[in-house]
Amino acid sequence: MTPRSFPADFVWGTATAAYQVEGATTADGRTPSIWDTFCARPGAIADGGSGQVACDQYHRYLDDIALMAELGVKAYRFSIAWPRIQPTADGTLNQAGLDHYSRLTDALLAHGIAPVATLYHWDLPQYLEDAGGWPARDTAARFGDYAAVVAGALGDRIDTWTTLNEPWCSAYLGYADGEHAPGRRDHPAALAAAHHLNLAHGLGVQAIRAQAGGTARTSITLNLQVLRPATDSAADQRAVAQLERIGNDIWLGPLLDGRYDERLFSDTAHVSDWSFLRDGDLAQIHQPLSLLGINYYSSSTVRQRAGAVPPTWPEAHSRPWRGAWPGCETVEFLPPTGPLTAMGWNQDPSGLTELLLSVHRRWPELELMVTENGSAFDDQVADDGSIHDRERVAYLAAHIEALGQAMAAGAPVRGYFAWSLIDNFEWACGYTKRFGLFGVDFQTQARIWKDSARWYQALVRTGQTPAADPAD
Ligand code: FCB
């Protein structure tokens, strides 16, 4: 691959999320989130693990920042655990929890690393789930309060705010499919959750701007779906369009254009009457954004099931809900084709180029940031203690080249965050999947340089992609 150069001010970073790395789940007044509860449910997590200890970053953040400084990254995307900030149902501020993020932020700044803070990376306080969770409207208002508290305290130091990480996962994996916390399977509730997440974002942006000033940089991170039709038949194209509406436009429409596509209502008419959508909500959601964060890992191929017709309302409501995609009973996903990552996901770098360009064509003024991209492989520690993760290096190289192609074609992408800084708790997969540039020995908490970290270090230092194989 010919080396590709990136602009000098391009932001190279790494990303993590609170529940995946922090551990210390009862320290300094933190109370349970839906993930603590979900992890205790037998069978919910592949290896029975939880985030109770994870990478212990709550205590080791200075060591991890030192690693990032050595890596040379300019930004760290971390998330703030809501149940550390407001651990009780009355929403009282827990100063000790807030102080942790204040120290983390200061330490990043002292190392010249820009703090990119996500307010919600899936760890809803359990007391809010007990009160209805995201399907309940009040959760959005509570998020607005939480955002105001954090922005009031850290607003002068955070480089970029991200309200929500991947609301697709919160709504559909959490409430439709049940693979993620809180593990509910209720498609009408999942659609209400989607809307209330949008509303939470809008209220959050307003709170950040009110507290941190109108120049605060605000964003949201979406895992936009790249969907390919199995054939070029009209039916398969329709399947793609329907999934794009429920997977992508349900966020992009209200966030960026202040409206829901009417077809979203007809696609899901047998699931929900959308009575949770109230007058004035779209204006609350449609707030100015400094940039859009995009997470990309893989693409999917889909088709319309032959002869399938959507169920009617009584049928749909009279049997258990299945799958992550509300209203999409007649559509099916084809098995991914290899080579796959350890997650079973395909590797399709061109999907990243296409995705960035398609968003850019629709919203030419909008700045973009790749807020997550990376891969899990079954890393082996060599006899000399090192990890030679050639496949991850190749994945990174191919996707960063794809990013470069999108930028060369005009997409205004300002940064890229490798997922992840370190191996960590990979949600329902527990500790069985490793995404880190650094390995973690979970017995000793030692961080181990992988070849991918060396490769990324060379890229960050020079602004130019090194040879894909570090041995070359
Ligand atoms: C994304 C999540 C992130 C991580 C990666 C692998 O969906 O945002 O926390 O688990 O997948």
Side-chain angles (χ1 to χ4, degrees):
M1 218 180 283
T2 327
R4 181 176 287 279
S5 295
F6 288 82
D9 61 355
F10 191 78
V11 178
W12 296 107
T14 59
T16 62
Y19 192 70
Q20 295 181 275
V21 299
E22 283 180 352
T25 50
T26 55
D28 295 336
R30 182 188 180 279
T31 58
S33 77
I34 53 175
W35 273 95
D36 298 274
T37 309
F38 189 64
C39 289
R41 189 193 278 190
I45 310 299
D47 58 1
S50 78
Q52 209 176 347
V53 177
C55 313
D56 195 32
Q57 196 184 71
Y58 192 78
H59 299 116
R60 295 168 193 262
Y61 66 96
L62 290 175
D63 297 342
D64 285 345
I65 292 173
L67 273 188
M68 283 185 258
E70 209 180 329
L71 203 56
V73 289
K74 298 179 196 166
Y76 181 40
R77 175 173 179 252
F78 61 95
S79 83
I80 295 173
W82 189 348
R84 292 194 193 281
I85 307 299
Q86 295 178 317
T88 50
D90 61 7
T92 305
L93 165 67
N94 174 36
Q95 191 61 44
L98 193 54
D99 287 349
H100 169 72
Y101 296 104
S102 186
R103 288 190 296 267
L104 172 71
T105 301
D106 286 344
L108 288 167
L109 291 171
H111 284 83
I113 300 171
V116 175
T118 301
L119 285 168
Y120 184 72
H121 201 127
W122 306 355
D123 41 4
L124 187 71
Q126 180 61 40
Y127 63 78
L128 284 179
E129 176 59 25
D130 295 342
W134 285 111
R137 188 178 176 85
D138 188 50
T139 302
R142 298 294 298 265
F143 179 79
D145 297 344
Y146 157 64
V149 169
V150 179
L154 306 182
D156 53 338
R157 288 168 286 160
I158 296 297
D159 178 85
T160 302
W161 295 95
T162 298
T163 52
L164 309 176
N165 175 72
E166 301 189 353
W168 185 97
C169 294
S170 300
Y172 300 152
L173 297 182
Y175 293 93
D177 178 67
E179 192 198 319
H180 278 187
R184 284 166 62 180
R185 287 197 181 147
D186 179 343
H187 287 201
L191 288 176
H195 177 64
H196 296 141
L197 283 152
N198 279 331
L199 187 59
H201 161 82
L203 297 174
V205 169
Q206 293 176 64
I208 294 165
R209 290 165 65 88
Q211 294 295 324
T215 55
R217 281 158 56 83
T218 53
S219 69
I220 184 170
T221 278
L222 303 177
N223 55 322
L224 296 174
Q225 309 286 319
V226 174
L227 300 153
R228 308 193 185 286
T231 70
D232 53 15
S233 71
D236 289 353
Q237 312 260 8
R238 270 202 309 279
V240 167
Q242 184 184 354
L243 291 168
E244 282 179 344
R245 284 195 287 278
I246 194 88
N248 298 344
D249 296 346
I250 196 169
W251 324 109
L252 293 167
L255 295 170
L256 297 173
D257 296 335
R259 62 181 196 88
Y260 283 113
D261 188 323
E262 293 286 328
R263 287 168 296 180
L264 206 43
F265 305 140
S266 47
D267 292 341
T268 57
H270 57 290
V271 179
S272 171
D273 61 6
W274 285 70
S275 53
F276 47 77
L277 171 56
R278 300 211 189 141
D279 284 352
D281 283 359
L282 287 161
Q284 298 279 1
I285 297 168
H286 187 207
Q287 296 298 321
L289 276 189
S290 313
L291 54 93
L292 177 68
I294 294 178
N295 291 354
Y296 177 79
Y297 290 91
S298 61
S299 62
S300 308
T301 302
V302 301
R303 71 172 167 223
Q304 192 73 38
R305 279 199 286 120
V309 283
T312 60
W313 178 291
E315 277 164 26
H317 287 252
S318 67
R319 57 185 194 209
W321 298 100
R322 286 175 49 204
W325 297 80
C328 299
E329 297 84 355
T330 66
V331 167
E332 68 185 354
F333 285 74
L334 268 56
T337 48
L340 307 180
T341 69
M343 293 296 282
W345 297 344
N346 72 359
Q347 302 185 53
D348 182 3
S350 66
L352 177 60
T353 314
E354 287 167 34
L355 176 58
L356 293 167
L357 286 172
S358 73
V359 173
H360 174 54
R361 281 189 209 106
R362 234 167 119 183
W363 294 280
E365 304 303 319
L366 184 65
E367 299 207 343
L368 306 174
M369 191 100 118
V370 176
T371 37
E372 280 180 32
N373 174 243
S375 54
F377 289 104
D378 294 327
D379 299 331
Q380 303 297 329
V381 181
D383 291 342
D384 63 357
S386 52
I387 297 175
H388 300 300
D389 56 339
R390 298 174 74 105
E391 292 163 300
R392 187 174 292 100
V393 172
Y395 179 100
L396 272 178
H399 285 77
I400 289 171
E401 167 59 19
L403 158 70
Q405 287 180 15
M407 291 171 68
V413 187
R414 303 300 178 220
Y416 173 95
F417 291 74
W419 184 272
S420 176
L421 173 67
I422 43 181
D423 291 343
N424 57 49
F425 174 74
E426 178 47 38
W427 308 113
C429 298
Y431 295 94
T432 64
K433 302 289 181 256
R434 294 173 173 263
F435 276 91
L437 295 179
F438 291 90
V440 173
D441 176 334
F442 289 102
Q443 303 303 317
T444 62
Q445 292 295 350
R447 288 13 178 182
I448 306 161
W449 282 80
K450 300 185 191 178
D451 286 352
S452 55
R454 297 275 175 220
W455 185 91
Y456 199 57
Q457 183 186 44
L459 166 66
V460 169
R461 281 193 184 150
T462 60
Q464 203 177 342
T465 46
D469 187 335
D472 287 351

